[in-house]
Structures are given as C-alpha cells and as structure tokens.
Amino acid sequence: MEWRKEVIISRNLTFTRSVLIILIILTFFLGDKWLLFILLTAVILLFIHHAYFSLLGRDLHLENDKEITRMNIGNEGAWLFTFKNKGVPFVKGSLNIAFDDCIEPTTYPYVKNRSFLEISIPFRAWTNEQVEVRIPFSAIKRGISHIYKFEIKVNHLFGSGSIILNYDGIIKKKKLVYPSRKIVHALKEPSVLFHGYQDVRNSLFFDPLQPIGTREYIKGDSFQHIHWKATARMQQLQTKVFPHSGARHWLFILNISEGHSIHRDLEELISYTAFLIEHAVKENIPFAVAINIRTHSDIPYFYLSEGEGRIQRQKAFEILSMLSIHSFPYPPHLMLKDIEKRGSSIPIVIYIGNQNTASNNVLLSLKMKKSTIFELENVNGQGVMKEWSQVTCKRRSG
C-alpha cells in the first residue's frame, strides 16, 4: 500500500461498544421496540464509522515525481503536492509535513523543532477528486531541504480517536538553497607558466596555428613568422601576430576543518568559495574543487574534476549547499598529498581555510612544481586573497 495506517482509538469508544451490546440484549428481552431501534441505529452508525476508517486512504495516490528546485537565499518558491483520491472522501483532515529549516513557509504557521520546521494545514478530498496543495516558502539560508514527515491525520467523527496515514516512501522533492557570495578582495590573475590552448593575455606562450593579424617586423622576430603576402602588399616586412594562450585552470581547495572539528567560520569560507567559483564562470576559467569532507567513494574526500560553465558551477554549488557542521572532515594534508600524487599540472591553486605545517609542506612542493598558489584570509570580516609564499607559511604555522 502507498500509505501506512496508524489507528488511535480512545478507550471510551471501546467502552461504548460494550455498553451498547449489553443494552441491546437487555432491551430485546424487555421488548422496548423504540429503545431497541435507537440502540440498533447507534450500532449501525458505529459499524459505518468503522468501515469508513478501514477504507480511508486505500485509494489515495500522491504524485511523487523526482524534483529538485535550485534557488538563492531570498528567493521565493513553493512545495506543490498533487493527490488523486479514488476512494472514500476525506471530509476533515490535516496534512502534516516536516522539512529542513533552510526554507520558511510564508503563508502557513509553523513550529520549529531543532533544525526542522513542522506545519499542519487542512486537507480535504472528495471521491474521484484531484487535489493540489501548495505551500509557499522563502529561502532563508544555505542548505538542502528534504521532507522527513508526510502524513494525513483524520479525527474520528465522534472524537474518539484518529487515523494517521504515513506516506510509505521517500518524498522525492527537495529544495536546494545555494550559498551567498561574499566578495573576495585583491583578486588578480597571475602569469601562466603552463602551456595550453586558452586565451590568456599574460601567458608566456602563444598559439602558432591561429594568427590574428600582422605588425611591422622588428629585429629578433622569427623568420618563419614573417607574413609574405602582407609583406608584398605593404612593401615592408610584416610579422604574424598570435594570440597568447596557456593553461589557466584553477583548483579550489576548501579546508572545512579547524583542528579535529569543523571550522567556526564555515559559512564565510563557503561564501568566499562561492564568490570565486562565480568569478571563474564569468571569466570562462575551467576549475576543479577539492573539499576535505569524508566520502564513501574511491577518493576519500570530495573532488569535482575540472570543468567549466554553468553546469560545473551547479555541481560545485550543490556540494557547497550540503556542507554542514555535522560533516566529517578528512585530514587536509592527506588530501593535498593525494592531489599531488595524481601528477597532473595545476596552474593555479587557491587554498581556502586553515593551514598547518603538514599542509604547508605539500603546498610548498606544489609551488616547486611551478603551480601559483593563492591563499584566502579573513581580515576584519572581509575575504582577502593573496599569493602564498614560504615566508607566509612559516608565520602561519608558528
């Protein structure tokens, strides 16, 4: 069955049934027809009452299609549920729902229970009726909201108990609230020391297969780069101009730990990371993300491989939305060592979070391999990104 039924019966109803049976027997022997008629009518009503609640919910269907709504803090949305009732009618019931508190209902009152919100709204559905229930809400903080309780409660007609129908399954709807973006200051792009095929103005490399124009020849220009057709037309030596190119992908390393616990400024670290990811997307910079949160995959920490564009941002923001103070951190230096062992060149590393001697040693090793490393600091409540150096390493780990 789609619904798991829980029956709550008052002792008064059981007592009333027993009394009615005794009275019917006595009335039958006494021969009082009117009293017998009244008592039999009461018994029939109780029988109908019992039959009604035994059938209630048997043919009630909830459309439970998978649905993920992605939104930013401050956005408005709604839970939307569609019921189809082909069984007995729900005359007077209530729909009770509990979900995570990163969103708050804007129309219905709610009760907060730790990190959950609970609401109760009227529910009515006649036979062969389709009912839509809409619960407006506003996104108030980063997180993901699942539905943990989904039940319909109907009280007995005589106030002698109730029937609770618990949905026997997982509600597949969820609301994903992206983190806020907190500005990071002193953001600059370093010189690129790796060969690649991306358009980079301050790169040391260029693409010889895609000339973008010509200029006058100057002493030292390569003979093979002379544009002979342009030279003949201009009657003066002309040299081909090539676009600067290189590999400029970024690797964000987010350390959510502070010692053996979660960083006390986790929300700020996440907001800074979200801002930098947004910046990378706007500048068409490919990026990867590593977060020292324990996983059950082959890689013991979260790692989003290199990608670019809105789809990559969506993947990164989803994991940022799911991080919480209840996450289990993975040692950051072990994560850095694993990344280094993979052997792929990393032009730009941006380290966000606490550092210690062990992690600094791995960062120094990456720098020796020509990676440009930035670190992000919280200075007077503002995010400041600057180039990492061994001097900084000694100061921070001391």
Side-chain angles (χ1 to χ4, degrees):
M1 291 181 64
E2 193 170 346
W3 301 87
R4 188 177 67 257
K5 185 178 294 185
E6 181 181 350
V7 181
I8 301 174
I9 300 177
S10 172
R11 293 180 180 178
N12 294 334
L13 182 61
T14 305
F15 176 75
T16 302
R17 289 174 181 172
S18 301
V19 171
L20 280 174
I21 293 172
I22 295 172
L23 289 175
I24 288 173
I25 295 172
L26 291 175
T27 306
F28 177 78
F29 285 108
L30 293 174
D32 191 335
K33 296 181 180 179
W34 285 107
L35 182 58
L36 183 61
F37 173 77
I38 294 172
L39 293 174
L40 286 174
T41 302
V43 170
I44 292 172
L45 288 175
L46 285 176
F47 176 79
I48 295 173
H49 176 271
H50 176 76
Y52 167 75
F53 281 102
S54 64
L55 295 173
L56 191 67
R58 184 172 295 181
D59 293 305
L60 178 67
H61 173 67
L62 170 68
E63 291 186 2
N64 190 19
D65 298 327
K66 187 176 181 179
E67 177 186 311
I68 302 177
T69 304
R70 299 173 177 85
M71 53 203 313
N72 292 309
I73 295 174
N75 289 162
E76 305 244 327
W79 293 109
L80 185 62
F81 305 102
T82 302
F83 298 87
K84 293 180 180 178
N85 184 27
K86 295 183 179 179
V88 297
F90 287 75
V91 180
K92 189 178 180 181
S94 61
L95 176 62
N96 305 319
I97 306 174
F99 48 85
D100 296 280
D101 64 352
C102 60
I103 59 176
E104 281 188 358
T106 55
T107 303
Y108 298 104
Y110 61 86
V111 175
K112 187 164 185 177
N113 183 8
R114 286 182 286 186
S115 60
F116 307 113
L117 299 182
E118 297 184 11
I119 64 170
S120 180
I121 61 177
F123 180 78
R124 179 178 296 175
W126 300 106
T127 303
N128 296 322
E129 182 183 14
Q130 178 171 302
V131 177
E132 286 191 351
V133 176
R134 188 174 185 273
I135 306 171
F137 62 78
S138 177
I140 61 167
K141 65 179 182 179
R142 175 191 66 84
I144 181 169
S145 187
H146 297 92
I147 292 178
Y148 295 95
K149 181 174 77 172
F150 195 87
E151 65 179 31
I152 298 173
K153 183 178 180 180
V154 181
N155 292 323
H156 285 183
L157 300 179
F158 307 115
S160 54
S162 60
I163 297 291
I164 299 177
L165 300 174
N166 293 286
Y167 187 74
D168 196 14
I170 297 174
I171 302 296
K172 299 177 183 178
K173 300 177 187 291
K174 61 182 178 180
K175 310 299 178 183
L176 198 65
V177 182
Y178 286 160
S180 60
R181 283 68 133 182
K182 199 167 183 179
I183 296 176
V184 175
H185 299 276
L187 180 63
K188 67 177 184 177
E189 189 173 337
S191 298
V192 176
L193 304 178
F194 290 87
H195 193 344
Y197 298 97
Q198 296 165 296
D199 182 16
V200 182
R201 285 171 292 181
N202 57 349
S203 175
L204 306 179
F205 307 99
F206 59 84
D207 188 351
L209 301 178
Q210 298 182 13
I212 58 175
T214 60
R215 60 169 172 79
E216 289 187 10
Y217 174 85
I218 59 176
K219 186 176 180 180
D221 285 347
S222 173
F223 185 76
Q224 63 181 357
H225 292 161
I226 294 177
H227 197 301
W228 295 109
K229 290 184 179 180
T231 297
R233 185 173 63 253
M234 302 292 292
Q235 297 297 308
Q236 188 176 6
L237 284 175
Q238 298 289 309
T239 300
K240 297 177 183 178
V241 176
F242 303 97
H244 287 276
S245 63
R248 61 166 184 168
H249 65 265
W250 292 359
L251 170 62
F252 296 107
I253 296 177
L254 174 57
N255 176 17
I256 66 170
S257 62
E258 188 174 25
H260 297 289
S261 59
I262 298 297
H263 201 290
R264 57 188 163 185
D265 296 326
L266 177 64
E267 291 302 322
E268 288 191 341
L269 296 180
I270 291 173
S271 296
Y272 294 142
T273 306
F275 176 84
L276 294 171
I277 289 172
E278 194 79 63
H279 178 81
V281 173
K282 289 180 180 178
E283 296 297 323
N284 297 317
I285 300 172
F287 65 89
V289 181
I291 305 175
N292 65 320
I293 177 175
R294 290 186 182 273
T295 66
H296 298 290
S297 60
D298 295 336
I299 302 177
Y301 54 89
F302 174 80
Y303 185 79
L304 176 63
S305 56
E306 183 184 331
E308 59 183 314
R310 295 183 179 277
I311 299 299
Q312 182 76 348
R313 178 184 62 181
Q314 177 180 308
K315 293 177 181 178
F317 277 12
E318 284 185 4
I319 185 61
L320 290 179
S321 298
M322 296 177 190
L323 294 176
S324 74
I325 58 173
H326 304 295
S327 302
F328 294 98
Y330 184 76
H333 67 282
L334 295 181
M335 177 177 70
L336 287 169
K337 283 183 179 180
D338 187 72
I339 291 172
E340 184 186 22
K341 286 179 182 178
R342 295 180 181 276
S344 58
S345 60
I346 308 172
I348 300 172
V349 175
I350 301 175
Y351 189 96
I352 303 161
N354 280 6
Q355 300 175 35
N356 55 34
T357 303
S359 60
N360 282 330
N361 289 337
V362 186
L363 291 174
L364 181 60
S365 177
L366 289 172
K367 187 173 182 179
M368 298 288 289
K369 296 177 181 178
K370 304 300 182 182
S371 292
T372 301
I373 301 174
F374 283 87
E375 62 176 335
L376 191 143
E377 289 186 345
N378 191 332
V379 180
N380 297 325
Q382 294 185 334
V384 177
M385 193 172 77
K386 60 183 182 180
E387 195 162 350
W388 182 90
S389 65
Q390 189 175 4
V391 175
T392 305
C393 161
K394 291 179 179 178
R395 178 177 56 81
R396 289 177 63 95
S397 59

